[in-house]
Amino acid sequence: QVQLVESGGGLVQAGGSLRLSCATSGRTFSAYNAAWFRRAPGNERKFVAAIDWTGGGTNYADSVKGRFSISRDNDKSTLYLQMNSLKPEDTAVYYCAASGRAMATKQYEYSYWGQGTQVTVSS
């Protein structure tokens, strides 16, 4: 089992930046591939970014490519999402996930989930 806890969400103006963190505990985080998903109001949860267990491989949704950066620190058992040039359409609850196939983009491919952190981008 891996426990995941997101933090770093908040209210930011369009064009601003936020850095989300996902602290993990339980089984060795470094053994797992990981990802970020988000759920906007009224929508289903969607893929944002993924990273393999080494940190050397990443994958991004087209909507965030060039603006968001996923990374991990296996020594600290923590996953990150740096979000720059934020837009109002990035407003959502952001979830971290672990396990699954490397760079997987489907929810069902991940076994462990955090509770989410709210990101609100004002125009």
Side-chain angles (χ1 to χ4, degrees), residues 48-59:
V48 175
I51 190 167
D52 68 10
W53 67 274
T54 70
T58 58
N59 185 27

Side-chain angles (χ1 to χ4, degrees), residues 4-22:
L4 309 172
V5 179
E6 302 93 339
S7 63
L11 174 64
V12 64
Q13 288 189 327
S17 299
L18 280 176
R19 187 194 196 198
L20 305 184
S21 298
C22 175

Side-chain angles (χ1 to χ4, degrees), residues 7-51:
S7 63
L11 174 64
V12 64
Q13 288 189 327
S17 299
L18 280 176
R19 187 194 196 198
L20 305 184
S21 298
C22 175
T24 74
S25 60
R27 298 189 68 178
T28 306
F29 174 64
S30 61
Y32 293 100
N33 301 306
W36 289 94
F37 287 75
R38 66 186 181 186
R39 177 182 283 142
N43 291 332
E44 63 182 14
R45 193 155 53 183
K46 295 182 179 179
F47 170 75
V48 175
I51 190 167

Side-chain angles (χ1 to χ4, degrees), residues 70-111:
I70 188 172
S71 63
R72 65 192 296 162
D73 186 334
N74 286 340
D75 290 338
K76 295 182 179 179
S77 297
T78 304
L79 177 71
Y80 301 100
L81 184 67
Q82 178 67 44
M83 305 186 295
N84 300 326
S85 302
L86 282 161
K87 304 175 181 180
E89 51 263 44
D90 294 318
T91 295
V93 177
Y94 283 72
Y95 301 87
C96 59
S99 188
R101 179 177 58 85
M103 264 68 81
T105 63
K106 305 299 184 184
Q107 295 185 65
Y108 66 82
E109 297 191 85
Y110 291 90
S111 301

